């Protein structure tokens, strides 16, 4: 089977173009969406992510604040900043880049974010809204991006068996909730590290979403002919032939699997580009909801 490559860069560009129109319209009515990104410490990967988020805001004309706090920042100081941002009318979205340093209790910090500004969708109020299918809530950006990819390629989910590998609050669980919701109607199985005979389970799937963090774990043995495979994984593996000494691979062994699939996302260029596009979408949504009269 010749698979269709799902082009996340292309779909992300379409999402951004449509957001641009919305932002221009908001601005013409005197409203500018605003996002605050808070980074604690100097983790290099986090610095890159934060930089990309701020850059995406600038490209779309979203107002942004970048707060780069030292690793020594206390929980109280961080929470104080969150309260300040909650009260700032220029800011509609707040995110604290994960993971913070070990002395910070991330869950406790998230509880302090006004759920109406929680554009990462991590606050328990938004987790509940996702389960309740309340569309005013905020859904974590990566699974939201996966749903956009399915929609963009007209991939039917109703009545299909989807296996989501991974049960994190950032990807696996929200992904499963989105797929089982009444506007998607898939039958969903969530698999995890204790799942028995994962390859056999995955072979029953029409749609596989891999969100594990194990390089190329999903091999041809996991995939039935014609399945749709979305690969969320971002893993570094050593590669001396590359200038940086590593390359990025997904959780799926792309070359081994692709010829069995009807649709597949590459890594990079599949799910990855969608995450920031959906963060921008959540920020615009928060702005609309906070400024609606
Ligand atoms: P996580 O470590 O929080 O969760 C991993 C999940 O995989 C766990 O629920 C665990 O039970 C499951 N798991 C571990 N080993 C397993 C095994 N052998 N078999 C079956 N399940 C197993 O990770 P996460 O934050 O959900 O991220 C998963 C992957 O997605 C990572 O590679 C991460 O870098 C990537 N990610 C990408 C984006 C993006 O923007 N594309 C965003 C978030 C995460």
């Amino acid at each position: 089977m010749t698979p269709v490559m799902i082009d996340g860069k292309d779909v992300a560009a379409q999402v951004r173009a449509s957001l641009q129109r919305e932002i221009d319209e908001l601005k013409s009515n005197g409203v500018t969406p605003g996002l605050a990104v808070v980074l604690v410490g100097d983790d290099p990967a986090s610095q890159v992510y934060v930089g990309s988020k701020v850059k995406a805001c600038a490209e779309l004309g979203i107002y942004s604040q970048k707060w780069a706090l030292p690793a020594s920042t206390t929980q109280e100081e961080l929470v104080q900043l969150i309260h300040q941002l909650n009260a700032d009318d220029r800011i509609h979205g707040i995110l604290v880049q994960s993971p913070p340093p070990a002395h910070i209790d991330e869950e406790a910090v998230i509880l302090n974010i006004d759920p109406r500004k929680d554009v990462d969708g991590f606050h328990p109020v938004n987790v509940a809204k996702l389960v309740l299918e309340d569309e005013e809530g905020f859904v974590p950006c990566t699974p939201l991006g996966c749903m956009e990819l399915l929609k963009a390629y007209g991939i039917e989910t109703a009545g299909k068996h989807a296996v989501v590998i991974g049960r994190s609050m950032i990807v696996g669980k929200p992904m499963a909730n989105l797929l089982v919701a009444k506007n998607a109607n898939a039958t969903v199985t969530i698999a995890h590290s204790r799942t028995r005979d994962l390859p056999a389970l995955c072979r029953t799937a029409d749609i596989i979403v891999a969100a594990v963090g194990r390089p190329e774990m999903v091999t041809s043995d996991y995939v039935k002919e014609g399945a749709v495979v979305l690969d969320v994984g971002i893993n570094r593996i050593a590669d001396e032939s590359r200038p940086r000494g590593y390359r990025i691979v997904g959780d799926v062994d792309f070359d081994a699997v692709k010829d069995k699939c009807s649709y597949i996302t590459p890594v990079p260029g599949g799910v990855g580009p969608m995450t920031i596009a959906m963060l921008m979408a959540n920020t615009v949504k928060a702005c609309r909801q906070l400024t609606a009269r």
Side-chain angles (χ1 to χ4, degrees):
M1 175 174 279
T2 308
V4 174
M5 295 295 154
I6 296 181
D7 186 341
K9 282 191 198 160
D10 182 47
V11 180
Q14 290 171 33
V15 169
R16 284 177 200 229
S18 130
L19 283 174
Q20 187 69 72
R21 289 189 287 275
E22 256 191 89
I23 292 163
D24 292 346
E25 187 203 313
L26 281 164
K27 283 184 160 177
S28 71
N29 291 322
V31 175
T32 301
L35 175 70
V37 185
V38 182
L39 171 66
V40 187
D42 44 21
D43 176 61
S46 292
Q47 282 174 339
V48 172
Y49 289 137
V50 164
S52 312
K53 290 169 187 177
V54 170
K55 184 165 164 256
C57 286
E59 284 166 0
L60 287 172
I62 292 177
Y63 168 71
S64 71
Q65 289 181 4
K66 176 181 159 185
W67 293 83
L69 308 178
S72 58
T73 303
T74 64
Q75 177 95 8
E76 291 67 31
E77 286 166 337
L78 181 55
V79 166
Q80 207 176 357
L81 172 61
I82 302 290
H83 289 164
Q84 177 188 319
L85 296 171
N86 283 341
D88 188 334
D89 288 341
R90 295 167 301 173
I91 297 297
H92 308 104
I94 302 169
L95 78 83
V96 180
Q97 185 62 44
S98 186
H103 67 276
I104 302 276
D105 178 347
E106 193 172 8
E107 281 180 28
V109 170
I110 288 166
L111 280 178
N112 284 278
I113 297 177
D114 181 338
R116 297 170 304 168
K117 296 190 176 186
D118 169 39
V119 285
D120 260 341
F122 295 161
H123 191 288
V125 165
N126 285 314
V127 176
K129 286 189 172 178
L130 170 58
V131 177
L132 293 165
E133 302 183 29
D134 175 342
E135 292 192 349
E136 283 204 346
F138 293 97
V139 176
C141 301
T142 301
L144 199 55
C146 289
M147 294 305 289
E148 281 296 316
L149 291 177
L150 293 172
K151 265 187 245 160
Y153 281 81
I155 297 168
E156 182 60 80
T157 51
K160 299 292 168 69
H161 181 209
V163 172
V164 178
I165 320 175
R167 57 179 162 188
S168 73
M169 295 305 294
I170 298 175
V171 192
K173 281 189 187 144
M175 186 73 227
N177 279 123
L178 287 167
L179 284 164
V180 83
K182 284 191 271 305
N183 60 8
N185 285 312
T187 302
V188 182
T189 305
I190 306 178
H192 48 79
S193 52
R194 302 286 185 92
T195 297
R196 283 196 212 142
D197 201 352
L198 184 60
L201 174 68
C202 289
R203 282 196 300 275
T204 69
D206 304 303
I207 299 167
I208 297 175
V209 182
V212 189
R214 291 171 74 98
E216 300 176 330
M217 184 188 87
V218 175
T219 55
S220 150
D221 193 29
Y222 285 59
V223 180
K224 81 170 174 193
E225 201 68 37
V228 174
V229 174
L230 301 184
D231 187 354
V232 179
I234 301 178
N235 309 292
R236 276 186 188 188
I237 59 168
D239 184 344
E240 292 312 320
S241 71
R242 302 290 172 101
R244 287 178 175 166
Y246 68 85
R247 67 192 157 95
I248 301 291
V249 299
D251 291 342
V252 175
D253 185 345
F254 182 84
D255 289 331
V257 161
K258 68 177 194 311
D259 292 333
K260 281 183 145 181
C261 300
S262 53
Y263 295 85
I264 185 167
T265 58
V267 176
V271 174
M274 295 303 292
T275 298
I276 290 185
M278 299 324 290
L279 174 66
M280 300 297 112
N282 276 351
T283 302
V284 172
K285 174 177 166 176
C287 173
R288 276 196 183 286
Q289 292 183 171
L290 284 162
T291 57
R293 290 195 188 101

